[in-house]
Amino acid sequence: MILHFSGDFDVFPAFAPHFAKKVRRVLILVICEKSSIIFLSPILLRKRMRNMIKVDLTGAAPFFDAAGPDYASAASAHRMLEEKSGPGAEFTGWIELPMRMKKGELKPILAAAAKIRSRSKALVVVGIGGSYLGARGAIELLRPLPGKDDPRIFFVGNGLSPDYLNGVIEQLGDDDFDVNVISKSGTTLEPAVSFRVFRAMLEKKYGSAAKRHIFATTDVSRGVLRSMANAEGWECFTVPGDVGGRYSVLSAVGLLPMAVAGIDVAAIVDHAIETFGALYRRSPDNPVWQYAAARQHLYGRGYGIELLASYEPSFRFMGEWWKQLYGESEGKNGIGIFPASLEYTADLHSMGQYVQDGPRKLYETVVSFEKSLTSFPVPFGMGDPDGLNYLAGRDLHDICRTARDAVKAAHISGGVPNIGVSVERRDEAGYAELVCFFELACAISGYMSGVNPFDQPGVEAYKKNMFKMLGKPGA
């Protein structure tokens, strides 16, 4: 049974739990069409949460004090977020974003992606920070190697290295390509310079048809890039005005490059809608509360560095996305947990010594995928010359899981709290769960620490100095 509700957002959240309780035997879900929020019935909510992202605090609990994580503070922060009563509330549109995309831009995004895939061997994505990290994290996680019919995805505009830029141009060669330029304003130096370069390449290659190879993702009505797009007739997608860049991956900012790479973005959007609904639950059983409250509790006990680690190499740029999300959201007013990321097991052979025996100011959050997409048993060696036959026939995923458990035990014994975060598979559902989970937890954790998790006043300081030193008129 699906019930649609088109009333005011301010009224419905208070009404939905009571209504769900009354009809919990038959209710599947309730959709508030105006707010684009899904509420699951209590029974199905518990069932869904058992089958989705999980948080394991057993490795952190020995480092808690007697009071433990402050779930009352988490509840208050969650309420502020939901009621849009906290600082930065005008930038919380990312909560409703998946439903808005499903009802709005998703179809034209899929059409544009199909057009690009049908004619080009590459897509050049121009963007920096939140305009590229989410898409790159998704593509490297879900499509670490392009399929036979998949265009290659190049990311530029995230730095000022001439060597990197020339390297991308060399790899492109004479291949047909399209450009997706992503910028809310169009004035950020790094992407603006790169876009000028690749726009000129398109014009040289395609002449007057170059404009059909440019896709601009920008503000709906304002800014330099929007003005250029309107004047030139480029196809446009929207950077939502009520969503900050680091929370924008489930908009066209992330979905268009993902779709071109061959990722099922419609499935991501559907899973994100469901996940946000499941994580609505106000309870210490909510994994979002567990993670946000645990990390703030550890911070209060002197653990000011969080290491995000995964045993999946393709998770690397998800870590980069996570660092921006948490660094920009919480690092202000002289406080904040410092976010860093590591790749296990590789970094155990470089940073493992520091983690095990260095200053006891850090804790680790380890992201795991419980089921691998493929299997690879260790082969048997005749005569056992390398002494590895004790592993013969065991799958690498099982061996990796054992290594993870061994590292966890070693780090805990060395004084490093361990938080576990796990999803079932490295697929579209797992990706959607991770994004929704980390975004919600970041907002709640930020409110718990007393900051506005949706602004970033400090990022303008270097820009002002840089433009002045470069001689920009009016700087």
Side-chain angles (χ1 to χ4, degrees), residues 21 53 73 107 123 136 150-151 162 164 240 247 296 346 438 475:
K21 183 177 180 182
I53 196 164
S73 178
K107 188 174 180 179
L123 173 68
R136 187 163 186 177
D150 292 335
Y164 178 82
Y247 290 88
Q296 286 299 325
F438 279 125

Side-chain angles (χ1 to χ4, degrees), residues 361-381:
K361 297 180 180 180
L362 56 86
Y363 65 95
E364 61 185 356
T365 297
V366 179
V367 176
S368 300
F369 300 92
E370 292 305 317
K371 297 179 181 178
S372 60
L373 300 179
T374 61
S375 62
F376 202 111
V378 176
F380 178 83

Side-chain angles (χ1 to χ4, degrees), residues 120 175-178 201-210 213:
S120 292
D175 284 350
D176 287 313
F177 72 98
D178 287 86
M201 288 176 60
L202 286 174
E203 290 172 344
K204 181 179 180 180
K205 186 176 183 68
Y206 299 110
S208 60
H213 290 263

Side-chain angles (χ1 to χ4, degrees), residues 309-329:
S310 178
Y311 288 79
E312 176 52 59
S314 64
F315 190 78
R316 178 191 168 198
F317 263 89
M318 286 295 292
E320 297 300 312
W321 169 80
W322 171 88
K323 285 193 292 187
Q324 186 200 6
L325 180 64
Y326 281 78
E328 276 193 354
S329 295

Side-chain angles (χ1 to χ4, degrees), residues 106 109-110 112-114 116-117 123 125 130-143 150-151 153 155 180 182 247-269 272 318 321 427-428 431-432 435 439:
L106 182 58
I109 286 171
L110 293 173
I116 295 169
R117 287 174 61 85
L123 173 68
V125 179
S131 294
Y132 96 103
L133 284 172
R136 187 163 186 177
I139 291 168
E140 296 208 2
L141 182 71
L142 302 178
R143 291 291 185 278
D150 292 335
I153 311 295
F155 292 92
N180 178 206
I182 306 169
Y247 290 88
S248 68
V249 66
L250 296 179
S251 72
V253 170
L255 296 180
L256 178 57
M258 289 185 221
V260 175
I263 294 170
D264 188 348
V265 296
I268 287 176
V269 168
M318 286 295 292
W321 169 80
D427 59 9
E428 282 82 354
Y431 172 78
V435 168
E439 287 183 348

